Amino acid sequence: MSLYERIKEKISDSLVKAVEDAKVAGELNFETLPSFVLEEPREKLHGDLATNLAMVLTKQAKRPPREIANVIIKNFKLEGTWVISSEIAGPGFINFKLDPMWLTGIIPEVLQQADDYGHVNLGRGQKVQVEFVSANPTGLLHMGNARGAALGDSLASLLSAAGYEVSREFYINDAGNQINNFALSLEARYLQLLGKEVPFPEGGYHGEDLIDTVKGLISQFGDKYLTVEPELRREFLVRYALNEKMAHIRQTLADLGVNYDVWFSEQSLHDSGYVKSTMEELEKKGYIYEKEGALWLKSTLFGDEKDEVVIRSNGTPTYFAADIAYHRNKFERGFDKVINIWGADHHGHVARMKGAMAALGHDPEKLQIILMQLVRLIQNGEVVRMSKRSGRYITLRELMDEVGKDAARFFFIMRDPDSTVEFDLDLAKAESSDNPVYYVQYAHARLCSILRQAQEQNLASEGVPEDGELQLLTSQEERDLLKKLADLPGEITIAARLMESHRLARYVLDLAALFHTFYNSQRVLIEDENLRKARLALVRCTKQVIRNVLGILGVSAPERM
RNA sequence: GCGCCUGUAGCUCAGUUGGAUAGAGCAUCUGCCUUCUAAGCAGGUUGUCGGGAGUUCGAAUCUCUCCAGGCGCACCA
C-alpha cells in the first residue's frame, strides 16, 4: 500500500473508532455504520481530505449532520493520522488539514522503488489476456486499428503495472468468407496485371495495396500461375498474400510499439477440428437446433436478441462458430480474465459471445469486452467514410509518418473509448507540434537537462537526502508536485479497476503542468546546499514518475528535445 | 421500429460511479528569456452540463420522457 493510502486508511480507521466510541458513550445513536467516503475536496480551501460521514449518519442518528460532525470530531483521535486540524463545513462535511510534512515521505518511496514506483498489487498475479486489433489480413491497418492498438497495448501495460500477468494476443482472421473473397480479388488482379480482361468480383477488396501485393508476387513468380488450375492458383495467391500482409501488419504494429505474445490463427481452429467439436459440445448440451437447413445456436436463452446461425445450410461454419471455439480455447488456457477490444460496430456480438460462453459452462463475467467508438476522419471539413472494401482509408502507417508514433498513441489513449473521436487530418498536420504529448515529453527533457547541469557542475547527489533536507520543500509548488507524485499508485489502481488508461494520460499531463509551474517559480541549482539536495531529489522523483507513466502508455521519454 | 453509445466553454475533450463555487488544452487578449530548455510560465475572457420532469440534505453523474448524432439488428466479419 502506498504512503498516501496508508494515511487515508489510518484516518478512516480513526473515524470509525470515533463514531463507535461516541455510540458507547451514548453521544450518538446508530445501528450499522453506513459506507462513507474520505476524499480530497475539489476546493483546496476545504482542506486536504474531507468526509461525508456525518451526513450519511443523519438518517439513523436522527440528528442534523453538523451536530453529528461535532460529536465525531470530539471523539476523533489524532495519533498517527498526520491530521493537524479538522473543521465542520457546508452541510456537514468534516474537513481535515494534514501536516504538510507527510508529503516529503514520498521522495524516499519513489527513489527506492524507482521503475516499480506506482505499481500496485490489485491483480495478485491473476492471468489476463488482452486481445486487440485482430485486423483482417486482407488490407492495411487503418485509424480504427490504430485506436485499438494504442488502447489495447496501454491497457495491457496498465494491468501489468497493477499486478496482473498479462498476455497480448492478435487473432488472425485467415479463414472463412472474407478469405474466399480475398482469393477472388487477388486472382482478378493477377489476371488483370498479366493483361487479361477479367471483371473485378463484386464486393471484392478494391484497395491499391492489393495491386502492389500482386505486383510483388509477379516480379517473383511471373505468370507461372496463369495456366494452373484456378483452385490451386487461388490457394497459392492467398498463401502468398496472407504472409505478406501479416508481415506488414506485424511490422507496422511493432513500429507503433505494440508487440504481441501470441498470434492466433483462425484457420488452426478449423484444421484441428476444434470448431467442429465445440459445435458438437453445444449440440450435446441442447443449445443447437436445425432450421431451414442451417444449425442455430439458441443464444436468446442467454439474452441475445435473436438466435444465430453457426453452421450454414451449405455446411460451412460461420465466423461466429469459429469465434465461439476461439473464446472457448481462451478460457481453457486458464485466464482469469479475458478482455477483448472491439469496434462499436461489433457491439451486437457481445451478448451472444457471452451467451455462448455461458452455454459452454464458462463464467461469462470473465469475458470483458471494451467497445471503442469508431474514429471519424475529417478531411477538408468532410467526413471520410472508411471501408476496406472500397479501399478508401487513411492507414496507420500514414498516420505515424504524419504525426509520429508517440503522438499517434497518446492522441488515442487520451480519449475515453466511449467517445467518438473526430480526427481532423488537416488539423493533425497543422497542430502536430502542439500535441499534448510534447508537453509531457518536454517536461521530461527539462528534468533531464537539470540533472545534466548538476552533473556538469559537480552538484549531483545520489541516494536519499536526510529528512531535515527534505523538509525544506515547503513552497506551494513543491508541495503540489509532491502530492501528485504520491497519487500515482492510487491512479493506477483506479485506472486498472475501471480499465481506463486515459486516466493515466490525464495524470501525466497534470504532473507535467505542476512541474513546469515549479520550474518557472524556483531554481534547483542554487547555492543553499541542503535545499538544492532536496530539490534535486524532487527532480529525480518527477523524472522517474513521468518515465514510469509514459512507459505504461508506450510513449518515449526523450532526454533532450 | 427495437437495442447500445454519445450530447459539458467558440473548437477538441476530462469530470475519481451522488458531494461543497463544473475543469483542462486549442483559440483569443496582456505580461515574463543577461539565471537549470520560451515545445514553457503567470494572468484576463468563455457555460440554460441537449430540453423537461422525478428521486434526496445534495444531480453533469441515478430514474423516466422527449430532441439530435453515431453504431448495430445477415446462412458478412
Side-chain angles (χ1 to χ4, degrees), chain A residues 147-199:
Chain A
R147 188 177 193 180
L151 283 175
D153 191 54
S154 61
L155 176 62
S157 298
L158 167 61
L159 292 174
S160 172
Y164 292 90
E165 194 187 316
V166 182
S167 175
R168 292 168 169 81
E169 187 153 320
F170 187 113
Y171 182 54
I172 308 168
N173 300 123
D174 54 359
N177 258 345
Q178 86 275 8
I179 291 297
N180 295 334
N181 211 341
F182 189 46
L184 294 172
S185 307
L186 287 165
E187 184 177 46
R189 290 299 186 211
Y190 184 71
L191 297 175
Q192 283 170 358
L193 284 167
L194 291 171
K196 303 279 179 200
E197 286 274 331
V198 293

Side-chain angles (χ1 to χ4, degrees), chain A residues 11-232:
Chain A
I11 296 173
S12 233
D13 289 349
S14 288
L15 280 169
V16 172
K17 188 81 176 21
V19 290
E20 277 166 356
D21 287 352
K23 185 180 174 184
V24 171
E27 297 173 37
L28 197 61
N29 203 10
F30 65 93
E31 278 297 310
T32 52
L33 187 70
S35 67
F36 64 97
V37 291
L38 176 68
E39 62 182 3
E40 275 171 65
R42 204 169 18 220
E43 203 59 49
K44 263 188 188 158
L45 292 171
H46 296 137
D48 297 306
L49 286 168
T51 182
N52 62 352
L53 179 57
M55 283 141 81
V56 294
L57 274 168
T58 47
K59 275 211 179 102
Q60 292 190 63
K62 299 205 172 62
R63 291 170 67 183
R66 293 185 65 107
E67 234 173 80
I68 300 172
N70 235 318
V71 173
I72 296 172
I73 289 180
K74 202 183 122 215
N75 285 277
F76 186 80
K77 300 217 171 41
L78 302 175
E79 286 92 71
T81 59
W82 289 94
V83 171
I84 50 171
S85 70
S86 45
E87 58 168 22
I88 302 167
F93 289 101
I94 301 173
N95 297 336
F96 296 109
K97 210 174 209 97
L98 301 182
D99 180 342
M101 286 307 119
W102 81 267
L103 281 168
T104 52
I106 199 60
I107 286 186
E109 196 152 297
V110 176
L111 292 179
Q112 276 151 23
Q113 297 179 24
D115 288 350
D116 290 332
Y117 176 70
H119 290 203
V120 294
N121 196 15
L122 182 70
R124 300 202 176 96
Q126 284 184 75
K127 286 180 68 185
V128 179
Q129 184 210 49
V130 185
E131 182 219 321
F132 58 106
V133 183
S134 296
N136 278 336
T138 51
L140 302 169
L141 296 171
H142 53 68
M143 298 289 277
N145 298 137
R147 188 177 193 180
L151 283 175
D153 191 54
S154 61
L155 176 62
S157 298
L158 167 61
L159 292 174
S160 172
Y164 292 90
E165 194 187 316
V166 182
S167 175
R168 292 168 169 81
E169 187 153 320
F170 187 113
Y171 182 54
I172 308 168
N173 300 123
D174 54 359
N177 258 345
Q178 86 275 8
I179 291 297
N180 295 334
N181 211 341
F182 189 46
L184 294 172
S185 307
L186 287 165
E187 184 177 46
R189 290 299 186 211
Y190 184 71
L191 297 175
Q192 283 170 358
L193 284 167
L194 291 171
K196 303 279 179 200
E197 286 274 331
V198 293
F200 199 73
E202 190 144 334
Y205 296 101
H206 286 85
E208 287 285 321
D209 61 291
L210 222 89
I211 298 175
D212 294 337
T213 298
V214 175
K215 277 182 182 163
L217 182 150
I218 291 172
S219 71
Q220 210 175 330
F221 298 97
D223 59 1
K224 191 172 159 190
Y225 292 91
L226 206 50
T227 50
V228 304
E229 259 183 69
E231 195 97 341
L232 287 173

